[in-house]
Amino acid sequence: MKIQKSFMNELPTLYLVATPIGNLDEFTPRAIEILNEVDVIAAEDTRTSLKLLQHFKITTHVISHHNFNERQSSKGIVNLLKQGKHVAIISDAGYPLISDPGLNVVSLAIQEGFNVVPISGSNAALNALVASGLPCQPYLFWGFLSSSMNEAIKELKQVQMYPCTLLFYEAPHRLVRTLKLIQEVLGDRYLCVARELTKKHEEFIRGTVSELLSHLQEVKGELVLVVEGHRKEDEKDILLKDVHIKVEEYIALGMSPSIAIKTVAKDFGLSKNEVYQRYFNRS
Ligand code: SAM
Protein backbone atom coordinates (compact mmCIF):
# COMPACT_ATOMS: atom_id res chain seq x y z
CA MET A 1 0.00 0.00 0.00
CA LYS A 2 1.16 3.53 -0.78
CA ILE A 3 -0.30 6.83 0.42
CA GLN A 4 0.43 10.06 -1.47
CA LYS A 5 -0.19 13.41 0.21
CA SER A 6 0.33 15.44 -2.94
CA PHE A 7 1.08 18.81 -1.37
CA MET A 8 2.70 17.75 1.89
CA ASN A 9 6.07 16.57 0.66
CA GLU A 10 9.04 17.82 -1.35
CA LEU A 11 9.15 14.86 -3.71
CA PRO A 12 9.47 15.37 -7.46
CA THR A 13 6.07 15.29 -9.13
CA LEU A 14 4.69 13.92 -12.35
CA TYR A 15 1.82 16.23 -13.36
CA LEU A 16 -0.88 14.99 -15.74
CA VAL A 17 -2.05 18.19 -17.35
CA ALA A 18 -5.27 18.34 -19.39
CA THR A 19 -5.09 20.62 -22.44
CA PRO A 20 -8.03 22.13 -24.39
CA ILE A 21 -9.94 19.91 -26.85
CA GLY A 22 -10.57 22.85 -29.17
CA ASN A 23 -11.31 26.08 -27.37
CA LEU A 24 -8.10 27.57 -26.01
CA ASP A 25 -10.05 29.57 -23.40
CA GLU A 26 -10.53 26.25 -21.62
CA PHE A 27 -6.86 26.08 -20.66
CA THR A 28 -6.91 26.75 -16.94
CA PRO A 29 -4.61 29.25 -15.19
CA ARG A 30 -3.44 26.39 -12.98
CA ALA A 31 -2.44 24.26 -15.99
CA ILE A 32 -0.51 27.18 -17.50
CA GLU A 33 1.23 27.86 -14.18
CA ILE A 34 2.27 24.22 -13.75
CA LEU A 35 3.57 24.01 -17.32
CA ASN A 36 5.64 27.12 -16.69
CA GLU A 37 6.99 25.80 -13.40
CA VAL A 38 7.98 22.22 -14.26
CA ASP A 39 11.47 21.42 -15.52
CA VAL A 40 10.32 19.35 -18.48
CA ILE A 41 7.09 18.86 -20.48
CA ALA A 42 6.68 15.44 -22.08
CA ALA A 43 4.33 15.84 -25.05
CA GLU A 44 2.56 13.29 -27.24
CA ASP A 45 3.27 15.31 -30.39
CA THR A 46 5.88 17.97 -29.84
CA ARG A 47 4.88 19.95 -32.97
CA THR A 48 1.20 20.14 -31.94
CA SER A 49 2.06 21.00 -28.34
CA LEU A 50 4.62 23.64 -29.29
CA LYS A 51 1.86 25.61 -31.03
CA LEU A 52 -0.22 25.53 -27.85
CA LEU A 53 2.76 26.36 -25.63
CA GLN A 54 3.85 29.23 -27.85
CA HIS A 55 0.31 30.64 -27.76
CA PHE A 56 0.51 30.73 -23.96
CA LYS A 57 4.15 31.88 -23.98
CA ILE A 58 5.32 28.76 -22.15
CA THR A 59 9.01 28.22 -22.80
CA THR A 60 9.64 25.07 -20.72
CA HIS A 61 11.82 22.40 -22.37
CA VAL A 62 9.68 19.84 -24.30
CA ILE A 63 10.52 16.19 -24.92
CA SER A 64 8.62 13.58 -26.89
CA HIS A 65 6.45 10.95 -25.23
CA HIS A 66 4.18 9.10 -27.65
CA ASN A 67 2.74 5.63 -28.22
CA PHE A 68 5.73 4.45 -30.25
CA ASN A 69 8.39 5.38 -27.69
CA GLU A 70 6.25 5.13 -24.55
CA ARG A 71 8.24 2.42 -22.74
CA GLN A 72 11.60 3.95 -23.50
CA SER A 73 10.60 7.53 -22.79
CA SER A 74 8.79 6.50 -19.59
CA LYS A 75 12.12 5.27 -18.22
CA GLY A 76 13.69 8.57 -19.27
CA ILE A 77 10.96 10.54 -17.50
CA VAL A 78 11.36 8.50 -14.30
CA ASN A 79 15.11 9.17 -14.48
CA LEU A 80 14.33 12.90 -14.60
CA LEU A 81 12.13 12.49 -11.48
CA LYS A 82 15.01 10.61 -9.82
CA GLN A 83 17.24 13.63 -10.56
CA GLY A 84 14.76 15.77 -8.61
CA LYS A 85 13.04 17.30 -11.64
CA HIS A 86 9.30 17.96 -11.93
CA VAL A 87 7.74 16.72 -15.16
CA ALA A 88 4.38 17.41 -16.82
CA ILE A 89 2.77 15.03 -19.30
CA ILE A 90 0.47 16.49 -21.94
CA SER A 91 -1.28 14.97 -24.92
CA ASP A 92 -2.52 16.66 -28.11
CA ALA A 93 -5.89 17.40 -26.50
CA GLY A 94 -7.75 16.65 -23.29
CA TYR A 95 -6.34 14.43 -20.57
CA PRO A 96 -3.20 12.37 -21.07
CA LEU A 97 -3.90 8.61 -20.65
CA ILE A 98 -7.50 8.95 -21.91
CA SER A 99 -7.11 7.15 -25.25
CA ASP A 100 -3.64 8.64 -25.16
CA PRO A 101 -0.18 7.65 -23.89
CA GLY A 102 0.84 7.96 -20.24
CA LEU A 103 -0.19 4.85 -18.31
CA ASN A 104 3.27 3.36 -18.45
CA VAL A 105 5.03 6.36 -16.94
CA VAL A 106 2.30 6.81 -14.31
CA SER A 107 2.72 3.18 -13.18
CA LEU A 108 6.51 3.54 -13.02
CA ALA A 109 6.33 6.84 -11.14
CA ILE A 110 3.91 5.34 -8.57
CA GLN A 111 6.14 2.28 -8.19
CA GLU A 112 9.13 4.53 -7.54
CA GLY A 113 7.22 6.54 -4.93
CA PHE A 114 6.95 9.89 -6.76
CA ASN A 115 3.89 12.13 -6.65
CA VAL A 116 1.45 11.75 -9.54
CA VAL A 117 -0.87 14.77 -9.67
CA PRO A 118 -3.72 15.47 -12.11
CA ILE A 119 -4.36 19.02 -13.33
CA SER A 120 -8.03 19.31 -14.35
CA GLY A 121 -9.26 20.43 -17.71
CA SER A 122 -11.27 19.49 -20.74
CA ASN A 123 -12.16 15.97 -21.83
CA ALA A 124 -14.16 15.05 -24.93
CA ALA A 125 -16.02 12.07 -23.42
CA LEU A 126 -17.37 13.91 -20.37
CA ASN A 127 -18.40 16.95 -22.40
CA ALA A 128 -20.33 14.66 -24.75
CA LEU A 129 -21.88 12.71 -21.89
CA VAL A 130 -23.32 15.66 -20.01
CA ALA A 131 -24.88 17.18 -23.13
CA SER A 132 -26.12 13.89 -24.60
CA GLY A 133 -29.44 13.74 -22.76
CA LEU A 134 -28.61 10.23 -21.55
CA PRO A 135 -28.12 9.22 -17.91
CA CYS A 136 -24.68 10.28 -16.70
CA GLN A 137 -24.32 7.53 -14.16
CA PRO A 138 -23.50 4.79 -14.44
CA TYR A 139 -21.52 5.23 -17.63
CA LEU A 140 -18.80 3.22 -19.30
CA PHE A 141 -16.03 4.87 -21.29
CA TRP A 142 -14.73 2.44 -23.92
CA GLY A 143 -12.54 4.73 -26.05
CA PHE A 144 -11.96 3.63 -29.65
CA LEU A 145 -13.51 0.39 -30.86
CA SER A 146 -11.08 -1.80 -32.78
CA SER A 147 -10.52 -0.92 -36.44
CA SER A 148 -11.01 -4.63 -37.23
CA MET A 149 -14.70 -5.29 -37.87
CA ASN A 150 -14.67 -8.69 -36.12
CA GLU A 151 -12.89 -7.33 -33.08
CA ALA A 152 -15.27 -4.36 -32.90
CA ILE A 153 -18.25 -6.76 -32.96
CA LYS A 154 -16.69 -8.78 -30.12
CA GLU A 155 -16.11 -5.60 -28.13
CA LEU A 156 -19.70 -4.45 -28.60
CA LYS A 157 -20.94 -7.89 -27.52
CA GLN A 158 -18.99 -7.47 -24.29
CA VAL A 159 -20.97 -4.34 -23.40
CA GLN A 160 -24.29 -5.42 -24.93
CA MET A 161 -25.97 -6.14 -21.59
CA TYR A 162 -24.40 -3.32 -19.55
CA PRO A 163 -27.15 -1.12 -18.09
CA CYS A 164 -25.01 2.00 -18.38
CA THR A 165 -24.50 4.77 -20.92
CA LEU A 166 -21.68 3.81 -23.30
CA LEU A 167 -19.06 6.25 -24.55
CA PHE A 168 -16.97 5.64 -27.66
CA TYR A 169 -14.42 7.74 -29.50
CA GLU A 170 -14.56 7.31 -33.26
CA ALA A 171 -12.87 8.65 -36.37
CA PRO A 172 -15.26 10.40 -38.77
CA HIS A 173 -14.54 8.02 -41.67
CA ARG A 174 -15.56 5.06 -39.49
CA LEU A 175 -18.73 6.58 -38.04
CA VAL A 176 -21.20 4.92 -40.43
CA ARG A 177 -19.49 1.54 -40.04
CA THR A 178 -19.69 1.84 -36.26
CA LEU A 179 -23.33 2.95 -36.29
CA LYS A 180 -24.18 -0.10 -38.41
CA LEU A 181 -22.34 -2.37 -35.97
CA ILE A 182 -24.13 -0.75 -33.02
CA GLN A 183 -27.46 -1.34 -34.74
CA GLU A 184 -26.56 -4.95 -35.45
CA VAL A 185 -25.19 -5.84 -32.01
CA LEU A 186 -26.88 -3.45 -29.56
CA GLY A 187 -30.11 -2.79 -31.46
CA ASP A 188 -31.78 0.44 -32.50
CA ARG A 189 -30.80 2.40 -29.41
CA TYR A 190 -30.94 6.13 -28.74
CA LEU A 191 -27.58 7.81 -29.13
CA CYS A 192 -25.91 11.16 -29.46
CA VAL A 193 -23.04 11.99 -31.77
CA ALA A 194 -21.16 14.92 -30.26
CA ARG A 195 -18.99 16.55 -32.91
CA GLU A 196 -16.32 19.26 -32.75
CA LEU A 197 -16.89 19.92 -29.06
CA THR A 198 -16.01 23.41 -27.84
CA LYS A 199 -15.20 24.47 -31.42
CA LYS A 200 -17.05 26.76 -33.85
CA HIS A 201 -18.76 23.85 -35.61
CA GLU A 202 -19.84 22.05 -32.45
CA GLU A 203 -22.86 19.87 -33.19
CA PHE A 204 -24.99 17.31 -31.36
CA ILE A 205 -26.92 14.78 -33.43
CA ARG A 206 -29.39 12.98 -31.19
CA GLY A 207 -31.77 10.19 -32.18
CA THR A 208 -32.01 6.45 -32.75
CA VAL A 209 -29.29 4.62 -34.65
CA SER A 210 -31.62 4.14 -37.64
CA GLU A 211 -32.55 7.84 -37.68
CA LEU A 212 -28.90 8.81 -37.61
CA LEU A 213 -27.99 6.33 -40.34
CA SER A 214 -30.66 7.71 -42.63
CA HIS A 215 -29.61 11.31 -41.93
CA LEU A 216 -25.82 11.10 -41.90
CA GLN A 217 -23.72 11.24 -45.01
CA GLU A 218 -20.21 12.61 -44.91
CA VAL A 219 -19.13 13.53 -41.40
CA LYS A 220 -16.07 15.59 -40.64
CA GLY A 221 -14.19 16.55 -37.51
CA GLU A 222 -13.71 14.88 -34.17
CA LEU A 223 -16.55 13.02 -32.54
CA VAL A 224 -17.77 11.09 -29.54
CA LEU A 225 -20.63 8.57 -29.57
CA VAL A 226 -22.82 8.41 -26.48
CA VAL A 227 -25.04 5.34 -26.62
CA GLU A 228 -27.98 4.38 -24.44
CA GLY A 229 -27.23 1.45 -22.15
CA HIS A 230 -29.07 -1.87 -22.11
CA ARG A 231 -32.59 -1.50 -20.74
CA LYS A 232 -34.52 -4.03 -18.65
CA GLU A 233 -37.34 -3.87 -21.21
CA ASP A 234 -34.90 -5.13 -23.88
CA GLU A 235 -34.01 -7.99 -21.57
CA LYS A 236 -37.67 -8.89 -21.41
CA ASP A 237 -37.81 -8.87 -25.22
CA ILE A 238 -34.93 -11.33 -25.34
CA LEU A 239 -36.53 -13.45 -22.65
CA LEU A 240 -39.83 -13.46 -24.48
CA LYS A 241 -38.13 -14.91 -27.55
CA ASP A 242 -37.18 -17.92 -25.42
CA VAL A 243 -40.61 -18.28 -23.81
CA HIS A 244 -42.09 -20.03 -26.79
CA ILE A 245 -39.24 -22.55 -26.95
CA LYS A 246 -39.43 -23.28 -23.22
CA VAL A 247 -43.21 -23.90 -23.27
CA GLU A 248 -42.73 -26.33 -26.18
CA GLU A 249 -39.98 -28.12 -24.24
CA TYR A 250 -42.26 -28.60 -21.20
CA ILE A 251 -45.12 -29.81 -23.40
CA ALA A 252 -42.73 -32.29 -25.04
CA LEU A 253 -41.90 -33.53 -21.53
CA GLY A 254 -45.57 -34.33 -21.03
CA MET A 255 -47.01 -31.21 -19.36
CA SER A 256 -50.36 -29.82 -20.45
CA PRO A 257 -50.07 -26.41 -22.22
CA SER A 258 -51.62 -24.60 -19.24
CA ILE A 259 -49.20 -26.19 -16.73
CA ALA A 260 -46.28 -25.55 -19.12
CA ILE A 261 -47.30 -21.87 -19.36
CA LYS A 262 -47.63 -21.61 -15.58
CA THR A 263 -44.18 -23.19 -15.09
CA VAL A 264 -42.50 -20.97 -17.68
CA ALA A 265 -44.12 -17.87 -16.11
CA LYS A 266 -42.55 -18.87 -12.81
CA ASP A 267 -39.15 -19.65 -14.41
CA PHE A 268 -38.98 -16.28 -16.17
CA GLY A 269 -40.62 -14.15 -13.49
CA LEU A 270 -43.41 -13.18 -15.92
CA SER A 271 -47.16 -13.17 -15.55
CA LYS A 272 -49.09 -16.20 -16.87
CA ASN A 273 -50.90 -13.86 -19.23
CA GLU A 274 -47.62 -12.56 -20.75
CA VAL A 275 -46.45 -16.12 -21.42
CA TYR A 276 -49.87 -17.14 -22.73
CA GLN A 277 -49.96 -14.17 -25.14
CA ARG A 278 -46.44 -14.77 -26.29
CA TYR A 279 -46.90 -18.49 -26.78
CA PHE A 280 -50.19 -18.34 -28.63
CA ASN A 281 -49.26 -15.28 -30.70
CA ARG A 282 -46.20 -17.05 -32.04
CA SER A 283 -47.60 -20.51 -32.68
N1 SAM B 1 -7.26 12.64 -24.44
C1 SAM B 1 -8.44 13.07 -25.13
C2 SAM B 1 -9.56 13.35 -24.12
O1 SAM B 1 -9.29 13.47 -22.91
O2 SAM B 1 -10.71 13.48 -24.54
C3 SAM B 1 -8.84 12.09 -26.20
C4 SAM B 1 -7.75 11.80 -27.19
S1 SAM B 1 -8.21 10.66 -28.42
C5 SAM B 1 -6.65 10.31 -29.17
C6 SAM B 1 -8.91 11.67 -29.66
C7 SAM B 1 -10.41 11.42 -29.82
O3 SAM B 1 -11.12 12.14 -28.81
C8 SAM B 1 -10.98 11.94 -31.14
O4 SAM B 1 -10.81 11.00 -32.17
C9 SAM B 1 -12.44 12.11 -30.78
O5 SAM B 1 -13.10 10.87 -30.76
C10 SAM B 1 -12.32 12.63 -29.33
N2 SAM B 1 -12.24 14.10 -29.34
C11 SAM B 1 -11.17 14.87 -29.05
N3 SAM B 1 -11.49 16.17 -29.16
C12 SAM B 1 -12.78 16.23 -29.52
C13 SAM B 1 -13.69 17.29 -29.80
N4 SAM B 1 -13.32 18.56 -29.73
N5 SAM B 1 -14.97 16.97 -30.12
C14 SAM B 1 -15.37 15.69 -30.19
N6 SAM B 1 -14.54 14.65 -29.94
C15 SAM B 1 -13.27 14.91 -29.63
Side-chain angles (χ1 to χ4, degrees), residues 18-23 44 91-101 122-128 141 144 168-172 194-199 221-225:
T19 55
I21 59 166
N23 189 327
E44 182 192 5
S91 63
D92 290 355
Y95 277 79
L97 278 84
I98 304 295
S99 291
D100 269 332
S122 198
N123 163 253
L126 284 181
N127 275 1
F141 171 68
F144 289 96
F168 301 99
Y169 284 163
E170 194 47 285
R195 210 173 65 76
E196 294 290 272
L197 288 159
T198 79
K199 303 181 201 173
E222 298 190 282
L223 48 97
V224 181
L225 269 83

Side-chain angles (χ1 to χ4, degrees), residues 3-64:
I3 297 175
Q4 169 188 317
K5 299 247 187 231
S6 303
F7 307 109
M8 291 184 192
N9 65 60
E10 299 289 311
L11 288 169
T13 298
L14 179 70
Y15 292 99
L16 309 171
V17 181
T19 55
I21 59 166
N23 189 327
L24 294 185
D25 288 343
E26 293 191 344
F27 213 10
T28 68
R30 185 178 183 218
I32 297 167
E33 189 185 319
I34 294 288
L35 292 181
N36 269 314
E37 279 175 2
V38 291
D39 300 289
V40 176
I41 298 172
E44 182 192 5
D45 180 333
T46 48
R47 271 191 311 177
T48 307
S49 293
L50 279 174
K51 282 188 214 148
L52 177 82
L53 299 174
Q54 272 161 12
H55 180 90
F56 287 96
K57 301 190 173 42
I58 298 166
T59 54
T60 308
H61 178 56
V62 179
I63 60 169
S64 154

